[in-house]
């Protein structure tokens, strides 16, 4: 089967059908894919980066009901930059038993084989990291497309380029030191002086004392999130099961404004000879409702968080009678309707994150791509400059039986009023917190408050080392982004951390850092050192240890 036949198969899929493929390899080229427009994905590209929401997609279904696409072990090899699958407004949709891999991932890598300490070094590129040398500088690129031009390319120190350094002995991945005038941390500047073989180069560092340790791997990527690892868009009862992904471009797998999403048995880990699988979050749910379930997955080696579940805060910028005009304040989240008629909207104080009123939405419409108009049954008592949150899009979250790590980012980010249960997982060598409960109206605008979070029977090993050198992170972080000076209220409800095993934590950071929370329970946990807890504006704190914990 070729990519055109795969696209036709998806387009003609009958409702309430099971499509089973024979195990095979299908090559997909981004410049030969159907391109769908109008798919603006949460937390991804800005308007300038992808103004039309263009998605080259080989597996695309829209308005389908009860369809299962079973790959039977099929491998889809991706060439260029694309979004491998996208399901739009489908019900009862299942994608399973596939492997997706890029022939030449956009995340390029090289290993520092030698550094003589005087500015001379030898580097070796990964086998599938293609490059040219232009005026002594590395230019990463993909394969040529049909017109002969590279399907993607960027300089190793380009304006949007970010590089990180992975130590194979410690399994830690960290940022390079910042440089004046550069937006993102990057590999140090060097000139290629000699090509020793097709993959091995002798280079001369501009600064001989630059951070460039022998034996480490440099991971380099373009930070633009123009495509994603896959997307469920306004779907209901969506399942992704027994799927392996070896590399994703730009962003991970997104469930956007869905109801009931299951990620089961996923294996998102680097392919042979690589050390990175994802540019950004692995699994992301934005504006969902019902239940988000993540179980029995193995996720490792990315440049952001493993799971992020949140809503969307919209800023109130105008009001007239029963109508509010609201805008998407995050430049990376825009272009899709966050509200529908019948939804309950809460008005959120931007400075304290506390709700102070709300109403039922009677009509909701997009005003272009960056604003919405919400009409309420009664005149809303909302203040300009504050935010509105969809209180009907607050899913239950269940995350169980997974193995997360190693990776430089955080483990689970969850902000939902639905009950959240995170249990029986392994978190191994994450740079940031394994549990992060945030909520903010000022930065990423990810809503909202958490009512009941249970972190139970998890094994946490060597986490919180800090992707920024010298800045270790708390393993448990509850930190709503309150900006009101002197605020002493409660944003979140109950957080329970019970019966977990903690080992290898960093001395210079607290095991748990909890702020503006009504109730925090820390009981029955076992650790290899006395846990330090940092509490600020916690209404009720309960701690219980059984004497064998230390």
């Amino acid at each position: 089967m070729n990519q055109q036949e795969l696209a036709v198969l998806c387009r003609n899929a009958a409702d309430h059908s099971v499509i089973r493929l024979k195990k095979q390899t299908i090559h997909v080229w981004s410049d030969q894919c159907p391109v769908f427009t109008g798919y603006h994905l949460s937390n991804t590209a800005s308007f300038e980066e992808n103004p039309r929401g263009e998605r080259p997609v080989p597996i695309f279904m829209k308005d389908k009901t009860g369809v299962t696409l079973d790959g039977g072990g099929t491998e889809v090899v991706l060439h260029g930059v694309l979004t491998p699958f996208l399901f739009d407004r489908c019900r009862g949709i299942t994608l399973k038993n596939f492997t997706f891999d890029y022939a030449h991932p956009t995340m390029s890598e090289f290993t520092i084989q030698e550094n003589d300490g005087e500015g001379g070094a030898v580097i070796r590129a990964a086998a599938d990291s293609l490059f040219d040398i232009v005026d002594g500088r590395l230019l990463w690129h993909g394969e040529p497309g049909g017109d002969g031009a590279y399907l993607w390319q960027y300089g190793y120190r380009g304006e949007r380029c970010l590089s990180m350094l992975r130590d194979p002995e410690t399994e830690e991945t960290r940022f390079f030191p910042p440089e004046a005038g550069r937006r993102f941390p990057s590999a140090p500047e060097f000139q290629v002086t000699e090509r020793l073989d097709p993959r091995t180069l002798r280079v001369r560092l501009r600064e001989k004392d630059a951070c460039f340790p022998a034996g480490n791997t440099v991971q380099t990527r373009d930070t633009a999130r123009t495509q994603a690892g896959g997307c469920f868009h306004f779907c209901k009862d969506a399942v992704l099961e027994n799927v392996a992904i070896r590399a994703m471009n730009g962003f991970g797998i997104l469930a956007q404004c869905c109801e009931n999403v299951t990620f089961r048995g996923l294996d998102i880990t680097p392919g042979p000879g690589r050390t990175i699988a994802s540019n950004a979050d692995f699994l992301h749910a934005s504006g969902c409702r019902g239940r988000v379930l993540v179980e029995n997955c193995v996720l490792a080696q990315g440049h952001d968080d493993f799971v992020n579940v949140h809503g969307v805060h919209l800023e109130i910028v105008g009001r007239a009678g029963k109508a509010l005009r609201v805008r998407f304040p995050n430049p990376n989240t825009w272009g899709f309707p966050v509200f529908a008629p019948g939804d309950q909207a809460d008005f959120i104080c931007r400075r304290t994150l506390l709700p102070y009123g709300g109403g039922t939405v009677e009509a909701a419409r997009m005003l272009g791509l960056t604003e919405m108009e919400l009409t309420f049954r009664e005149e809303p008592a909302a203040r300009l400059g504050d935010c509105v949150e969809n209180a009907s899009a607050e899913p239950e979250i269940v995350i169980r039986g997974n193995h997360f790590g190693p990776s430089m980012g955080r483990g689970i980010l969850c902000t939902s009023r639905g009950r959240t249960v995170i249990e029986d997982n392994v978190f191994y060598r994450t740079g940031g917190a394994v549990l992060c409960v945030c909520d903010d109206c000022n930065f990423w605008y990810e809503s909202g408050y958490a009512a009941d979070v249970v972190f139970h029977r998890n094994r946490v090993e060597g986490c919180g080392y800090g992707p920024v050198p010298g800045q270790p992170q708390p393993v448990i972080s509850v930190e709503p982004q309150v900006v009101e000076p002197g605020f002493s209220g409660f944003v979140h409800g109950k957080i329970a951390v019970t019966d977990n095993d903690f080992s290898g934590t960093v001395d210079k950071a607290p095991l748990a850092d909890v702020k503006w929370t009504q109730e925090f329970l820390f009981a029955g946990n076992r650790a290899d050192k006395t846990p330090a807890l940092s509490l600020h504006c916690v209404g009720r704190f309960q701690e219980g240890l059984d004497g064998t914990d230390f």
Side-chain angles (χ1 to χ4, degrees), residues 41-44 83-87 95 98 100 227-233 238-256 258 261-269 277-286 288 292 294 297-299 305-310:
L41 304 187
S42 179
N43 294 70
T44 61
T83 296
F85 60 87
L86 197 159
F87 298 95
L95 180 69
F98 278 88
F100 295 95
Q227 298 301 323
C231 181
F232 295 101
H233 179 73
V239 178
L240 187 67
E241 185 173 8
N242 295 336
V243 170
I245 300 176
R246 301 298 172 226
M248 298 184 284
N249 170 264
F251 199 63
I253 300 166
L254 173 66
Q256 179 161 284
C258 294
V261 181
T262 296
F263 300 107
R264 178 183 294 119
L266 306 185
D267 179 354
I268 307 179
T269 56
S278 181
N279 286 39
D281 293 352
F282 286 69
L283 304 176
H284 200 107
S286 176
C288 292
V292 175
V294 181
C297 298
V298 178
L299 310 180
D305 311 316
F306 284 120
V307 181
N308 191 350
V309 183
H310 64 86

Side-chain angles (χ1 to χ4, degrees), residues 409-411 430-436 460 463-466 471-479 502 505-506 508-515 532-534:
R410 294 168 293 188
T430 64
V434 300
L435 172 63
C436 182
V460 180
C463 295
Y465 62 79
Q471 297 183 25
Q473 304 295 308
V475 175
I476 306 294
S477 174
V478 182
E479 189 168 8
F502 297 98
T505 55
V506 181
K508 295 181 180 179
L511 190 146
D513 186 7
V514 181
K515 298 181 175 70
L533 307 180
S534 174

Side-chain angles (χ1 to χ4, degrees), residues 12-125:
N12 295 336
D15 286 350
H16 307 290
S17 64
V18 177
I19 302 169
R20 293 187 175 91
L21 305 184
K22 294 181 179 179
K23 185 176 181 179
Q24 58 192 293
T25 299
I26 302 174
H27 288 266
V28 173
W29 296 76
S30 59
D31 61 342
Q32 300 174 29
C33 267
V35 177
F36 303 92
T37 60
Y39 290 100
H40 307 288
L41 304 187
S42 179
N43 294 70
T44 61
S46 66
F47 180 83
E48 292 74 20
E49 291 166 340
N50 193 351
R52 300 180 65 236
E54 293 184 346
R55 307 287 162 195
V57 182
I59 297 176
F60 177 84
M61 295 187 191
K62 183 175 181 178
D63 297 323
K64 303 288 186 182
T65 299
V67 176
T68 295
L69 180 58
D70 184 343
T74 290
E75 181 181 26
V76 180
V77 181
L78 310 170
H79 303 265
V81 178
L82 45 79
T83 296
F85 60 87
L86 197 159
F87 298 95
D88 180 8
R89 292 176 170 82
C90 295
R91 289 174 169 260
I93 194 80
T94 298
L95 180 69
K96 66 180 184 178
N97 300 330
F98 278 88
T99 293
F100 295 95
D101 194 6
Y102 275 89
H104 298 285
T106 56
M107 301 165 289
S108 301
E109 305 182 36
F110 64 80
T111 297
I112 306 164
Q113 292 190 324
E114 300 176 18
N115 185 343
D116 64 14
E118 296 297 325
V122 175
I123 65 174
R124 183 170 176 81

